[in-house]
Amino acid sequence: MKILENKVAIVTGAARGIGQAIALQLAADGADLALGDVKVEWLAETAEKVRALGRRAECYAMDVANSAVVNEVVTQMAADFGHLDVLVNNAGITRDTLLIRMTEEDWDAVLDINLKGAFLVTKAVAKIMMKQRSGSIINIASVVGVMGNPGQVNYSASKAGLIAMTRTLAKELGSRNVRLNAVAPGFIRTAMTDKLSEQAKEYMLRNVPLGRPGEPEDVAKAVAFLAGDNASYISGQTLPVCGGMIW
């Protein structure tokens, strides 16, 4: 039996990159997928790949920063699948620039999606998981939420907030057998990091003891572990997937 057999997992920001890799790993491990992204048409490729693995995939337009939309979509997900066992808060954006050039709009956009979005989706899903008395919630944080990074004060703050939220909610929800953990990727090869200058990439790699970038699948495997029963006594933790950059 696969480790996530008969489980239903929600993945936000599932259209590409790390989110798509997470969805496919969870499907490979036996889960059915409720896929969310801001535009439902973006999810077609991920859904097709999940179904090719023999698992169910349903797609939902989901603006995670809009509480009314989040509540409506989570209610629909629960009705469609009957239960919700795993939530991966992966939706995130960047608006990188130095503090002196950063606008208030840059700050608000990143905090709204990366932190407020995770708060809203977690709140909606936690109500269901608490009634079930079971569930695993994984927040996709970042090493920059621990170590900081020039030009990413908004992104770093949002990811640090996710780590703190994870620890706090693990204490709040543990009595209902709902676990919360975070995964903190380091320098992962994605479309987002591909846009970095060669100088920035070299700077990042100098700080990776393994000497290479990670792949989205490296993050996905860590998420799948935390989602399953093999991690049933792990809660409130942040697992770095970073080639040794931190800790």
Side-chain angles (χ1 to χ4, degrees), residues 45-57:
E45 178 183 307
T46 304
E48 182 179 353
K49 291 182 176 181
V50 168
R51 292 165 187 151
L53 292 168
R55 307 311 310 176
R56 179 181 175 187

Side-chain angles (χ1 to χ4, degrees), residues 4-86:
L4 296 176
E5 198 77 38
N6 301 319
K7 303 287 188 183
V8 175
I10 301 170
V11 180
T12 67
R16 55 189 178 271
I18 289 174
Q20 183 178 95
I22 289 169
L24 296 181
Q25 184 64 56
L26 297 180
D29 287 333
D32 292 324
L33 272 297
L35 305 170
D37 218 307
V38 68
K39 291 188 178 180
V40 71
E41 58 267 27
W42 292 356
L43 293 163
E45 178 183 307
T46 304
E48 182 179 353
K49 291 182 176 181
V50 168
R51 292 165 187 151
L53 292 168
R55 307 311 310 176
R56 179 181 175 187
E58 302 295 341
C59 303
Y60 304 85
M62 193 178 197
D63 177 0
V64 297
N66 185 315
S67 59
V69 169
V70 166
N71 290 331
E72 180 180 349
V73 170
V74 170
T75 298
Q76 188 62 54
M77 288 173 170
D80 289 345
F81 286 93
H83 55 99
L84 301 174
D85 307 293
V86 177

Side-chain angles (χ1 to χ4, degrees), residues 71 122-132 173 176:
N71 290 331
T122 297
K123 183 177 180 180
V125 173
K127 294 175 183 177
I128 295 166
M129 290 182 171
M130 289 170 71
K131 290 180 181 178
Q132 294 174 171
L173 303 181
R176 301 296 183 94

Side-chain angles (χ1 to χ4, degrees), residues 31-238:
D32 292 324
L33 272 297
L35 305 170
D37 218 307
V38 68
K39 291 188 178 180
V40 71
E41 58 267 27
W42 292 356
L43 293 163
E45 178 183 307
T46 304
E48 182 179 353
K49 291 182 176 181
V50 168
R51 292 165 187 151
L53 292 168
R55 307 311 310 176
R56 179 181 175 187
E58 302 295 341
C59 303
Y60 304 85
M62 193 178 197
D63 177 0
V64 297
N66 185 315
S67 59
V69 169
V70 166
N71 290 331
E72 180 180 349
V73 170
V74 170
T75 298
Q76 188 62 54
M77 288 173 170
D80 289 345
F81 286 93
H83 55 99
L84 301 174
D85 307 293
V86 177
L87 166 63
V88 183
N89 283 310
N90 170 74
I93 63 170
T94 58
R95 294 286 187 274
D96 294 350
T97 190
L98 295 173
L99 171 68
I100 204 70
R101 299 181 189 135
M102 185 172 290
T103 66
E104 188 173 343
E105 289 74 19
D106 290 333
W107 174 271
D108 287 345
V110 171
L111 271 291
D112 277 354
I113 298 295
N114 298 10
L115 186 56
K116 179 184 174 183
F119 160 73
L120 291 175
V121 180
T122 297
K123 183 177 180 180
V125 173
K127 294 175 183 177
I128 295 166
M129 290 182 171
M130 289 170 71
K131 290 180 181 178
Q132 294 174 171
R133 292 190 172 271
S134 67
S136 177
I137 298 172
I138 300 108
N139 294 318
I140 305 302
S142 170
V143 294
V144 304
V146 178
M147 60 187 285
N149 197 39
Q152 288 193 309
V153 63
N154 49 3
Y155 188 76
S156 298
S158 72
K159 296 303 186 177
L162 269 182
I163 291 169
M165 188 174 82
T166 299
R167 292 173 176 165
T168 298
L169 293 182
K171 297 177 185 295
E172 287 190 19
L173 303 181
S175 64
R176 301 296 183 94
N177 197 35
V178 178
R179 298 183 295 110
L180 285 98
N181 291 289
V183 171
F187 183 29
I188 306 297
R189 201 193 318 266
T190 65
M192 186 183 296
T193 57
D194 284 345
K195 294 177 183 177
L196 295 173
S197 68
E198 289 305 313
Q199 182 180 10
K201 292 177 184 177
E202 290 173 8
Y203 170 80
M204 294 288 284
L205 284 175
R206 283 199 300 270
N207 291 283
V208 180
L210 288 184
R212 60 176 176 82
E215 301 295 338
E217 291 76 16
D218 295 317
V219 179
K221 290 172 184 175
V223 171
F225 166 68
L226 291 172
D229 291 341
N230 288 337
S232 63
Y233 201 56
I234 300 175
S235 193
Q237 305 306 306
T238 299

